[in-house]
Amino acid sequence: MATVVTEKLSRLFVNARQVPQLLAPLSPSTVSSSEVPKVFWKPYIHTGYRMNVWTHLVAALILLLRFQQLWQRVDFGQDLHAQPLLIIIVASITYLTFSTLAHLLQAKSEFWHYSFFFMDYVGVTVYQYGSALGHYYYAIEPSWHEKIQGFYMPVAVLLAWLSCAGSCYAKYRYQQSAHLLSRLCQELPSGLAYMLDISPVVHRIYTAPPSKQADPALLYHKCQVVFFLIGAFFFSHPYPEKWFPGKCHFFGQSHQIFHVCLVLCTLAQIEAVVLDYESRRQIYSTLQGDLAHDFSALCLFTVACSVLTAAYMARKVKNQLSFKEE
């Protein structure tokens, strides 16, 4: 049974004239206790949370348009070295789309609340792998490639899967994201994954000679690092709503700022990778050889493991809810 929140969000796509009504605050009588699972709903029913749908939806549409432009000049089918670029673009669109669906449709029921966020975590895992591959394939310098080539991609796959598994388990086991062990399960694998995935970019930034500091790709890489770090701060700390209690229901809440920063990080990252693909072919073609097919197969393996993990956790949720009903 769709709740009032989901119905209002859906109407926004049908009739723009209903925007004022949609953005009006929900009163306690609007959402009855019988319609929502009490454990989950307090963070999701206020109007500010609805705006989180739009941040990732707009970004997904922007990337789709960018993908269309690239499709006209990049031969993704025949150019072996274009496969990692295709993977990171598709992975970015996937995580943005899955996040949009999770924020839009999680209100349908308690089971779908869990399931859509499990799907969201799968999207994040795919994006983590795409980011690791894009940085390793295009952005890396030969000196750093020599040091990490033996373990970088396998460890990136492991940490990406652990991020998915940890997030799914935290959602299932602890329910409230403020719980210490919940944050640990979610943030530790993701933090380790980011440190590994971004290492080729950080190494390149710090070792680039002064003549290369104005390289547009390098500037985009610097932007993506800055946006990610700012987003990570707001993901972990409830500011500015802690400074202005009751004043950030619509605009300015920390999770909303995190969404915007993550979107900006992704857009800057895609531009950086595209520029690296176009300008560094001599470097990456020598370093990577014909490994693009292997990396594509590794992507499918990562996706399969993540989907199976999310499906397993969704099954556990379903069994738990069935047991409660009995």
Side-chain angles (χ1 to χ4, degrees):
M1 181 182 69
T3 62
V4 174
V5 176
T6 307
E7 290 172 356
K8 284 189 172 184
L9 287 168
S10 300
R11 292 193 197 108
L12 188 58
F13 296 94
V14 179
N15 193 339
R17 291 177 299 178
Q18 294 180 344
V19 170
Q21 292 94 338
L22 176 66
L23 299 181
L26 291 174
S27 65
S29 61
T30 306
V31 182
S32 67
S33 59
S34 63
E35 292 178 310
V36 297
K38 295 179 181 178
V39 175
F40 308 104
W41 279 78
K42 286 185 179 180
Y44 301 105
I45 60 174
H46 56 69
T47 56
Y49 204 80
R50 304 174 193 175
M51 298 303 296
N52 293 332
V53 175
W54 289 102
T55 52
H56 282 180
L57 176 60
V58 171
L61 294 176
I62 291 173
L63 281 182
L64 280 173
L65 293 175
R66 189 72 176 98
F67 187 28
Q68 183 184 32
Q69 294 174 351
L70 290 172
W71 191 269
Q72 296 173 357
R73 73 171 195 257
V74 177
D75 191 353
F76 289 106
Q78 298 298 322
D79 184 2
L80 179 68
H81 295 297
Q83 290 184 12
L85 177 60
L86 177 64
I87 288 173
I88 188 174
I89 293 175
V90 172
S92 299
I93 295 173
T94 298
Y95 101 81
L96 291 168
T97 302
F98 283 7
S99 178
T100 299
L101 292 174
H103 287 80
L104 180 63
L105 301 176
Q106 52 81 28
K108 187 174 182 181
S109 69
E110 188 171 354
F111 172 74
W112 287 114
H113 174 91
Y114 279 109
S115 298
F116 275 112
F117 275 103
F118 291 164
M119 182 182 70
D120 186 20
Y121 303 146
V122 171
V124 172
T125 299
V126 176
Y127 174 62
Q128 284 185 356
Y129 177 85
S131 296
L133 177 58
H135 296 159
Y136 179 75
Y137 203 94
Y138 300 115
I140 198 167
E141 292 290 338
S143 58
W144 191 245
H145 181 271
E146 183 180 355
K147 294 178 181 179
I148 66 173
Q149 62 178 327
F151 65 88
Y152 179 92
M153 289 307 300
V155 175
V157 171
L158 176 62
L159 291 175
W161 174 78
L162 284 176
S163 297
C164 178
S167 296
C168 289
Y169 178 76
K171 187 70 176 176
Y172 166 76
R173 177 66 177 82
Y174 298 108
Q175 299 169 349
Q176 296 295 334
S177 61
H179 194 285
L180 177 61
L181 291 179
S182 173
R183 302 303 292 266
L184 188 64
C185 289
Q186 287 183 298
E187 295 176 16
L188 181 60
S190 297
L192 293 174
Y194 183 74
M195 287 190 290
L196 176 69
D197 298 349
I198 203 65
S199 64
V201 172
V202 173
H203 175 268
R204 181 174 161 194
I205 291 173
Y206 277 99
T207 59
S211 60
K212 294 288 187 180
Q213 290 296 329
D215 179 7
L218 203 59
L219 294 177
Y220 276 115
H221 279 306
K222 291 177 181 178
C223 288
Q224 69 144 319
V225 172
V226 170
F227 285 134
F228 182 89
L229 294 178
I230 295 174
F233 171 81
F234 284 104
F235 179 80
S236 304
H237 299 83
Y239 297 104
E241 56 263 38
K242 222 173 185 180
W243 296 329
F244 307 103
K247 304 296 184 181
C248 302
H249 290 317
F250 191 74
F251 286 116
Q253 49 177 277
S254 57
H255 195 75
Q256 194 176 94
I257 298 174
F258 161 70
H259 269 224
V260 173
C261 289
L262 189 58
V263 163
L264 294 174
C265 169
T266 302
L267 295 177
Q269 178 189 46
I270 294 298
E271 292 305 315
V273 170
V274 169
L275 290 171
D276 285 339
Y277 164 77
E278 294 175 340
S279 64
R280 290 168 56 89
R281 179 172 287 265
Q282 185 176 359
I283 297 175
Y284 63 72
S285 60
T286 301
L287 293 177
Q288 312 299 351
D290 59 352
L291 290 176
H293 288 314
D294 296 337
F295 293 143
S296 297
L298 202 56
C299 178
L300 294 177
F301 174 76
T302 306
V303 171
C305 291
S306 302
V307 169
L308 289 173
T309 300
Y312 172 75
M313 296 305 298
R315 170 76 59 158
K316 288 183 68 69
V317 168
K318 188 173 184 179
N319 291 339
Q320 185 183 62
L321 295 176
S322 298
F323 179 77
K324 285 181 179 178
E325 292 175 357
E326 294 175 359

